[in-house]
Every structure is written in C-alpha cells, then in structure tokens.
C-alpha cells in the first residue's frame, strides 16, 4: 500500500519475497497471482504494521566557544538513522531560555543561538522525528563568558560636605547587553561606606565621612550573571 513491491516465483504452490517499507504505519499487503495454464488470476490482502526506526541526534559543532553574553554562535546538528536521510525539524536550546530552530536538509543543519546569561550551558538539540524516524536528542557543553561593565559615579552632593554630614552618591553601571543588576559598594577611602542595590542599572546611597579633607570616593560594582565587576573613583 506504500508503493514498495517484490516478486515471488511459486514453487510447490508457495513462495516468498522481501521488500523494505519506505514509511511507517499500518499498510495493506496485496499478493496478486498472475495465473498460469491451470489457474486463473487471484489476489489476497493482509494488514502489516511498520514501525519507525531509531534516530541519533548529534551536536557536531558550536562556534565560537566560548561566546559572550549577547553574542550569537552557530550550532550545527546531524540526525542519522539506518534508512536514508532524516527530515523534519530540530529545536536547539541553551537550557536558559534561548532557542533556535533547524529545518534538516540531507539529515543536518545549523542555526544561530544567542545566550542572554553567562556561565556554563548545556546545549540540547531535540529532533521531532519524521515518517521514518522516531524523535531523539543530543547534548553538548558550551561556555558563555560575562562581558565588561562600566561603573560611573554621576554625582556626590552636597560637595563639599561637612564632617558628620551625609551626602548622596549616585552611581550607574552600564554594559553592552541588558540592564546591570547586583550591588555596588561606595567608600570614601577613610573608612566610611554605604551599599547600593542596583535598580534599572543605577542607584544611590548616603555616605557620611567622619574626617575632614580631600576624599577619594570609590564605587565598586560586584558584577552579576552577565557583567564582570568594575569600579569608578
């Protein structure tokens, strides 16, 4: 019923032949006897189930590795099996929410993936299967490096201040991909400190110097999942 045929030559009223099915599912086998000098033509049918074959999905490359947060990298995938080239689609993910699709051509393909957080990733290529092959998946390790941040003290008011008088230090942290999070520690170089928890990449705290003179105010950013640490004075 799927287009595959074979021919059997009868011997003592019986015979057999082999054929390979080209697709899975329930198929109807039809045996058609061409007849001879004694018997007229005849035929018979039988239902036969053809199951899908196993497939193997392999991530063959992920370049560049390591990549940086926000930088795309190419993930190459192949899907193999015992009967011809696999078709269909593969979904690639980094385990942190980033995905890209592949439409197989000749059993392989690639897509560009962009990880939005740094750290060690487990790439997973999930093949959905086709008419011949069952689904399968493969994994590979990939490293995403953090990127540089820039910390800037945008104001320290009032300036000058008096001993024991608090002054407001405002700080911003910027980078090339998304809003910086985490904490900044501000110090005056003379023992006074105050913390900032960043919101929208910025924040402020009140610093109170306990001695007079010229102070070097330093803002030290501790970094987060995307950004390396940085500081400004």
């Amino acid at each position: 019923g799927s287009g595959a045929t074979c021919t059997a030559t009868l011997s003592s009223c019986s015979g057999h032949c082999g054929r390979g099915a080209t697709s899975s599912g329930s198929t109807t086998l039809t045996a058609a006897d061409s007849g001879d000098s004694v018997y007229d033509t005849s035929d018979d049918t039988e239902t036969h189930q053809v199951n899908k074959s196993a497939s193997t999905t392999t991530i063959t490359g992920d370049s560049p590795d390591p990549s940086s947060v926000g930088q795309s990298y190419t993930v190459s995938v192949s899907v193999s099996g015992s009967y011809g080239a696999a078709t269909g689609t593969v979904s690639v993910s980094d385990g942190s929410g980033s995905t890209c699709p592949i439409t197989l051509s000749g059993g392989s393909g690639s897509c560009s993936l962009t990880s939005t957080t740094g750290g060690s990733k487990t790439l997973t290529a999930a093949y959905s299967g086709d008419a011949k092959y069952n689904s399968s998946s493969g994994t590979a390790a990939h490293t995403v490096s953090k990127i540089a941040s820039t910390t800037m003290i945008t104001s320290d008011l009032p300036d000058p201040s008096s001993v024991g008088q608090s002054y407001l230090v405002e700080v911003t942290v910027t980078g090339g991909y998304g809003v910086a999070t985490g904490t900044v520690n501000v110090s005056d170089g003379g023992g006074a400190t105050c913390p900032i928890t960043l919101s929208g990449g910025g924040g402020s705290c009140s610093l109170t110097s306990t001695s007079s003179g010229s102070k070097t105010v330093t803002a030290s950013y501790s970094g987060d999942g995307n950004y390396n640490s940085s500081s400004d004075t």
Side-chain angles (χ1 to χ4, degrees):
S2 61
T5 63
C6 67
T7 301
T9 301
L10 295 178
S11 176
S12 300
C13 298
S14 66
H16 67 274
C17 66
R19 71 166 198 172
T22 58
S23 61
S24 63
S26 179
T27 187
T28 300
L29 304 179
T30 300
D33 177 22
S34 60
D36 59 15
S37 59
V38 178
Y39 295 105
D40 289 331
T41 61
S42 61
D43 58 63
D44 188 27
T45 60
E46 179 78 18
T47 300
H48 180 77
Q49 178 66 31
V50 179
N51 294 326
K52 294 183 180 183
S53 297
S55 66
T56 300
T57 299
T58 305
I59 296 176
T60 57
D62 55 314
S63 182
D65 184 11
S67 61
S68 299
V69 172
Q71 176 190 12
S72 66
Y73 50 99
T74 301
V75 181
S76 300
V77 174
S78 69
V79 180
S80 58
S82 59
Y83 190 85
T87 60
T89 59
V90 175
S91 178
V92 179
S93 65
D94 71 348
S96 300
S98 296
T99 63
C100 65
I102 296 173
T103 298
L104 294 175
S105 176
S108 63
S110 63
C111 64
S112 293
L113 191 62
T114 301
S115 293
T116 59
T117 58
S120 297
K121 308 295 181 182
T122 299
L123 305 182
T124 300
Y127 173 52
S128 58
D130 64 7
K132 295 179 293 186
Y133 293 117
N134 286 312
S135 60
S136 60
S137 63
T139 61
H142 182 84
T143 300
V144 180
S145 301
K146 296 181 182 182
I147 56 179
S149 65
T150 300
T151 298
M152 182 178 295
I153 298 173
T154 56
S155 68
D156 55 318
L157 296 174
D159 185 10
S161 62
S162 300
V163 173
Q165 177 189 9
S166 67
Y167 50 100
L168 190 68
V169 181
E170 296 184 340
V171 175
T172 61
V173 180
T174 58
Y177 193 86
V179 177
T181 60
T183 59
V184 175
N185 185 65
V186 179
S187 65
D188 73 346
T193 63
C194 66
I196 297 173
T197 298
L198 293 174
S199 176
S204 62
C205 66
S206 294
L207 191 61
T208 303
S209 294
T210 58
S211 61
S212 62
S214 179
K215 305 295 181 182
T216 300
V217 178
T218 301
S220 300
Y221 172 53
S222 60
D224 64 7
N226 293 344
Y227 293 114
N228 288 311
S229 60
S230 59
S231 62
D232 185 35
T233 56

